[in-house]
Amino acid sequence: MQYAIRARDLAKQYRIGAIKQRNVGYITLRDAIVERLRGRGGASATTELWALDGVSFDIHQGEVVGIIGRNGAGKSTLLKVLSRITEPTRGRAELYGRVASLLEVGTGFHPELTGRENIYLNGAILGMRKREIDRNFDAIVHFAEVEKFIDTPVKFYSSGMYVRLAFAVAAHLEPEILIVDEVLAVGDARFQKKCLNKMQDVGQQGRTVLFVSHSMQSILRMCQRAILLNQGKVIADGPAQQVVSVYLGKGAHSIAERVWPDRKTAPGGEVAYLQAVRVRDSDGDVADTIDIRTPVTIELEFVVVSGGYILMPHIRLYNDDNVAVFTSLDLDPTWRRRPRPPGRYRAQVTIPGNFLAEGSFYVEAALTTLEPPVKQFAERDAVAFQVIDSLDGDTARGDWAGSLSGVVRPILPWTTTYEPLV
């Protein structure tokens, strides 16, 4: 299989200093005089920041690859290097074929030109002939839904119109390599879904797609492979499901199941010890990614070694910000207020669908005796899972594609009355 992208030891260093922090691309005479008057070389004090450091990978033709990582991990810098916008400090990148990139709203557009003129300008930049652009022009305009404004200068476009036209141009002008950053978040839910479907089509046509997103749902839906960056380095590279699990958890193994086969190392006390904790999806399978619309079950497996005590198994759920979302106690009437004999127990609690918000959640598994009240175990971050929202319009977000605050996201009944103005 032929290569589309080959990266070898890519590194990018930035120097952050007093003048640099003014966020301008030049130094005026006034700046130089002021900094000199401040004295003692303050303007020359710089800090080195490696946005990329030794990044290497190969991507074959036809692969759809997701780039993930937290803010500041180096994702956007990597795309700028591959798009030849930024020159690397060290290393080499080889790209085989025409590259179309969509990195920022309005990238590649001239604000004074109309939508029509910008389509032809971008096609020319990609090295396309006019007849090739003519062949795709109607499809671009129809996809972008800007028919009424195609002869209007793009400086009058809204950010959503900018993104729609820019994506349509990048996707329809037949590049061999399509590079897309998180810029699609500007669009509404319907258009985001439309773009994701188009990127899938591009990949199925044998072209290469490199896609950066903070939405694990989009990564898992689109990409068979993912690359995880952290502090400018490649932490994981492999199947998307596995790499997403590494990103959400603390290791390469599934974060949805944890087992303590040896009692000596298992959390516990004199009465009971923890043997396993699992996250199960609506099909009963161990899973670390959960559709927001479906229920998720937390399973605690523990062993009672000293009988005769009333026990209270419980879980506490935390989000990414270390906020306790809720605590749930085992109120199963089978064992509530009843002493338990020695043996192995499996307790399950199910969180309904359309309740939790989108994001990462971490489970604390705990058990306490009630009489007397003694904690037997409380294993923080025993397991974790990711809740992914849908863009189908049947969740609490409806047709809204932007961020939604809150630790829960229930669908609540709304009613609206109407009275005409007199």
Side-chain angles (χ1 to χ4, degrees):
M1 187 178 292
Q2 294 183 335
Y3 292 111
I5 302 173
R6 304 194 76 182
R8 290 292 178 272
D9 193 34
L10 280 181
K12 179 61 181 179
Q13 182 192 69
Y14 291 101
R15 294 180 182 271
I16 305 174
I19 293 179
K20 298 279 187 183
Q21 293 173 352
R22 294 179 61 87
N23 196 30
V24 296
Y26 56 87
I27 302 173
T28 65
L29 176 60
R30 183 186 66 180
D31 293 332
I33 295 173
V34 170
E35 294 300 332
R36 178 62 65 91
L37 292 176
R38 286 174 179 170
R40 293 180 172 84
S44 62
T46 61
T47 301
E48 293 181 352
L49 171 66
W50 288 92
L52 294 176
D53 190 5
V55 172
S56 298
F57 56 81
D58 293 326
I59 295 177
H60 294 92
Q61 289 183 358
E63 280 194 286
V64 180
V65 181
I67 308 294
I68 62 176
R70 302 194 182 277
N71 291 333
K75 306 183 298 298
S76 295
T77 302
L78 174 61
L79 296 196
K80 288 179 180 178
V81 170
L82 295 179
S83 301
R84 291 170 288 187
I85 295 173
T86 300
E87 184 178 356
T89 305
R90 185 182 74 241
R92 178 180 178 84
E94 299 176 358
L95 291 89
Y96 302 90
R98 289 191 300 214
V99 179
S101 59
L102 183 59
L103 305 184
E104 297 176 4
V105 175
T107 299
F109 279 7
H110 193 295
E112 299 295 335
L113 300 181
T114 66
R116 182 187 303 274
E117 292 166 339
N118 271 293
I119 290 174
Y120 282 92
L121 173 63
N122 275 263
I125 292 173
L126 285 174
M128 298 183 70
R129 298 180 181 275
K130 184 177 182 298
R131 63 174 176 270
E132 294 179 272
I133 305 173
D134 290 339
R135 186 174 67 246
N136 291 282
F137 183 84
D138 289 341
I140 292 172
V141 176
H142 178 71
F143 187 93
E145 303 170 6
V146 293
E147 291 92 338
K148 294 181 180 180
F149 310 99
I150 194 62
D151 291 312
T152 301
V154 298
K155 67 180 180 180
F156 297 115
Y157 283 17
S158 67
S159 59
M161 293 168 65
Y162 248 118
V163 168
R164 293 203 302 270
L165 184 58
F167 180 86
V169 169
H172 285 82
L173 291 185
E174 301 177 355
E176 281 77 29
I177 302 170
L178 177 61
I179 298 176
V180 182
D181 206 343
E182 190 80 37
V183 67
L184 294 182
V186 175
D188 58 30
R190 185 182 62 82
F191 188 73
Q192 282 190 26
K193 185 176 180 180
K194 190 175 179 180
C195 291
L196 294 175
N197 289 335
K198 181 61 181 178
M199 282 191 281
Q200 284 183 315
D201 292 342
V202 170
Q204 291 169 359
Q205 293 169 7
R207 299 175 194 155
T208 304
V209 179
L210 205 56
F211 177 49
V212 165
S213 179
H214 287 284
S215 168
M216 296 303 103
Q217 179 193 22
S218 299
I219 294 293
L220 293 172
R221 174 186 170 186
M222 282 194 51
C223 309
Q224 295 296 317
R225 175 185 172 192
I227 298 173
L228 172 60
L229 295 181
N230 185 37
Q231 296 182 345
K233 299 178 182 293
V234 174
I235 302 300
D237 182 356
Q241 180 70 56
Q242 178 181 335
V243 175
V244 167
S245 295
V246 175
Y247 173 57
L248 299 177
K250 297 180 174 64
H253 302 289
S254 174
I255 57 174
E257 180 178 35
R258 196 168 172 193
V259 179
W260 292 268
D262 187 354
R263 182 187 174 186
K264 295 180 180 179
T265 58
E270 296 180 357
V271 175
Y273 67 91
L274 184 61
Q275 196 165 56
V277 186
R278 300 178 182 90
V279 180
R280 296 190 183 274
D281 61 17
S282 57
D283 296 323
D285 299 324
V286 173
D288 48 26
T289 55
I290 305 295
D291 189 308
I292 199 170
R293 298 167 290 189
T294 63
V296 54
T297 297
I298 310 300
E299 179 180 281
L300 275 61
E301 192 174 307
F302 57 92
V303 176
V304 174
V305 293
S306 180
Y309 293 90
I310 298 175
L311 305 179
M312 186 180 66
H314 56 284
I315 66 164
R316 185 171 290 112
L317 207 64
Y318 294 88
N319 67 4
D320 248 344
D321 297 322
N322 203 30
V323 173
V325 179
F326 65 78
T327 300
S328 179
L329 312 180
D330 183 357
L331 302 179
D332 183 354
T334 305
W335 292 105
R336 188 179 180 186
R337 300 171 181 160
R338 289 182 54 191
R340 302 201 190 200
R344 180 176 289 105
Y345 294 82
R346 183 178 288 113
Q348 293 183 329
V349 56
T350 299
I351 305 168
N354 286 314
F355 176 75
L356 294 174
E358 185 176 31
S360 301
F361 294 91
Y362 306 87
V363 179
E364 177 182 340
L367 183 141
T368 303
T369 58
L370 291 183
E371 297 175 358
V374 177
K375 183 183 294 183
Q376 297 300 307
F377 58 79
E379 186 66 14
R380 182 73 182 267
D381 298 342
V383 289
F385 60 96
Q386 170 89 356
V387 174
I388 52 178
D389 207 341
S390 168
L391 296 178
D392 293 336
D394 56 353
T395 69
R397 73 164 49 252
D399 298 321
W400 175 253
S403 61
L404 291 173
S405 59
V407 294
V408 294
R409 193 172 297 173
I411 295 181
L412 303 177
W414 279 64
T415 58
T416 303
T417 60
Y418 165 74
E419 293 181 5
L421 297 176
V422 178

